[in-house]
Amino acid sequence: MTAVLTASAQGVVHSRPGDSTSSADGAVTITSVTKKQHFDWHDTATLDTDINSPKSVNIHPDGRKFYVNSLEGGATVVYEMGTWRKLKTIHHQFDSRHQALWATPSGLFPFTHYSAESRDLNQFMGKPVEGTFSHGGRYFWVPYYRRSYDINAQDPSALAVIDTERDTIVRLMETGPLPKMIACSHDGRHIAVSHWGDNTVGIISTDGDDPKKWTYEKLHIIDYQLKLNYSLTAEVNRDVNSGYTLRGTVFTPDDHYLLVGCMGGGGGIAVIDMRQGQYLGRVLGMRSNIRHLIIKDGWLYLSSNAAGVIQRMRLDTFLEAVGRMANHTATARGWEECAVMGGARTIEASPSGRFLFAACNTGSRLCAVDTRQMKMVASIACDSYPVGLDISDDGQYVIVTSQGRKHAGGNAVNIYQVRYAEPEQLPASEREAATAVVEPDDSIHAHDEAPVDAATDDEGIPPLLLFGGIGLIVLVAGVWWWRK
């Protein structure tokens, strides 16, 4: 079956359940299973009016459900894996009844355009952008592009912490202006929030299981902090002229470094030394307009949005360049690359790392790259403007969000099933980490009440596991000794 092109001046694409594609060697097959959409009211089987410019998708670590951040709808929609039924809609609309959810202000993010005298700063609708899980999946963190009254995203925004056992918001925290990417360290002790709006990265300490005790540890400035002074009545395009426009954010496997991609400005990857609590500088030498970063099986991968290219380098080679940093810059040479489709946005790898999947925005495709060859081997149609993507831990499903735009297209969540000729499995190091289980603190039930109901961000610039493992080893050894 082939994709359906709608008759419009923009050439808007809509995928169709049943569409399928395979690599020439049959190593990977991708099939469109179903979708959630908000553009065709006649297709009641897939219609979901809570889908309003979906920005990102995150599959829960236990594989039972997934979360879609509906940017313009101000909501996070929760679905069940496999049945695809909607479980809940979490609304990011706040008023005085939610004041107890707020953490004490850190002092790092002063308001410069809005004041408590002129309005209640904590009454707004938040626009959810990205997400990350912490504490073994117990909590889901969601930053807001902006507070609804801040039309040009120049004052502090915020983030929500969702308890995934009840799918309710249990904590609200401030952020810098226009946060986009958010990441959790492997040891679960830190959350990093990258602020597209002013060249800063916030670090939150998440020691312990009580959300009330989590606090900001530091605000890192990437070379310089933008001074923001835009109109309070007329919208400007904040996707451009925002400095380095910080985006892809990832901790190295040992949590020594935090890497942050620069989608604009002078480009490169900003490096923060988490052990020293210090920003080191930017590594250059790769393509510009870096959108997303992942680390898989010893490789650092990036997507270049403007070029429609995936690049990679051995992580240790990249870190050697970090060691050569002088005057806050270094150059890493020898990147491998693979062309995909236009507008390469979110990327994720299959469990074994054999395949990489990319949501290609202007190409309206989900692309599969064979990392043994660094070659695109298959692609399948997505509803126009795919942007967010996640893959299930077993590699069997890839879910892609297609963001809405004012002229047409998007407003869809595409669900694909992936079949592999060779069995997929995690590398040995990741299998060991996956056996460690973080037990949640069941005593935490603060703020059980969910929030009550009450210009699209299109990035258009050209753009605690160690202790669990030890416990398991001790348990097995104890059983062996007793039976002996």
Side-chain angles (χ1 to χ4, degrees), residues 105-154:
S106 65
L108 296 173
F109 310 107
F111 281 81
T112 56
H113 298 86
Y114 302 92
S115 67
E117 290 73 28
S118 63
R119 63 169 300 113
D120 188 326
L121 299 174
N122 290 339
Q123 294 194 26
F124 63 92
M125 184 191 82
K127 292 189 168 191
V129 185
E130 297 283 351
T132 193
F133 295 99
S134 73
H135 297 76
R138 174 68 186 269
Y139 298 104
F140 183 52
W141 297 69
V142 179
Y144 303 139
Y145 180 87
R146 61 181 176 88
R147 306 188 191 207
S148 51
Y149 58 77
D150 185 6
I151 62 171
N152 286 316
Q154 55 186 326

Side-chain angles (χ1 to χ4, degrees), residues 138 163 165-166 170 441-449:
R138 174 68 186 269
D163 183 338
E165 290 188 356
R166 294 164 289 148
V170 295
D441 182 356
D442 293 329
S443 66
I444 301 171
H445 292 292
H447 313 304
D448 196 24
E449 178 188 357

Side-chain angles (χ1 to χ4, degrees), residues 360-382:
C360 294
N361 192 265
T362 55
S364 297
R365 310 287 288 187
L366 167 63
C367 298
V369 172
D370 185 335
T371 61
R372 293 180 183 176
Q373 312 171 60
M374 276 302 283
K375 176 182 177 181
M376 186 179 78
V377 294
S379 74
I380 191 169
C382 287

Side-chain angles (χ1 to χ4, degrees), residues 189-365:
R189 296 177 59 190
H190 292 98
I191 293 287
V193 187
S194 296
H195 304 122
W196 174 285
D198 71 347
N199 287 351
T200 64
V201 179
I203 304 296
I204 302 171
S205 172
T206 54
D207 268 343
D209 294 327
D210 187 353
K212 294 180 181 179
K213 296 181 180 179
W214 300 337
T215 58
Y216 272 94
E217 189 173 280
K218 191 160 187 177
L219 182 68
H220 293 280
I221 298 173
I222 308 306
D223 290 343
Y224 64 98
Q225 187 169 6
L226 271 70
K227 305 301 180 183
L228 307 176
N229 192 21
Y230 299 107
S231 169
L232 299 182
T233 57
E235 292 187 30
V236 300
N237 186 352
R238 292 289 274 117
D239 280 338
V240 297
N241 302 320
S242 290
Y244 290 135
T245 54
L246 304 180
R247 216 2 173 134
T249 303
V250 65
F251 288 88
T252 55
D254 58 2
D255 292 325
H256 188 164
Y257 299 102
L258 178 68
L259 311 181
V260 183
C262 301
M263 203 167 174
I269 297 175
V271 182
I272 295 170
D273 188 321
M274 291 295 296
R275 295 178 183 173
Q276 298 181 23
Q278 179 182 354
Y279 164 64
L280 301 180
R282 290 179 299 122
V283 175
L284 308 173
M286 68 292 294
R287 293 262 192 172
S288 63
N289 203 210
I290 301 169
R291 202 306 186 145
H292 198 200
L293 301 174
I294 65 170
I295 296 172
K296 181 67 175 177
D297 199 22
W299 291 94
L300 171 62
Y301 290 89
L302 65 85
S303 62
S304 172
N305 175 63
V309 161
I310 307 300
Q311 289 187 297
R312 75 173 182 179
M313 174 178 283
R314 295 299 304 186
L315 179 61
D316 54 5
T317 302
F318 179 86
L319 294 178
E320 287 173 5
V322 173
R324 299 193 300 271
M325 197 81 71
N327 297 319
H328 295 297
T329 60
T331 300
R333 305 189 187 280
W335 294 86
E336 299 178 40
E337 70 173 50
C338 166
V340 283
M341 298 281 190
R345 298 289 178 92
T346 307
I347 56 175
E348 292 294 347
S350 67
S352 70
R354 164 78 186 274
F355 296 98
L356 195 76
F357 298 92
C360 294
N361 192 265
T362 55
S364 297
R365 310 287 288 187

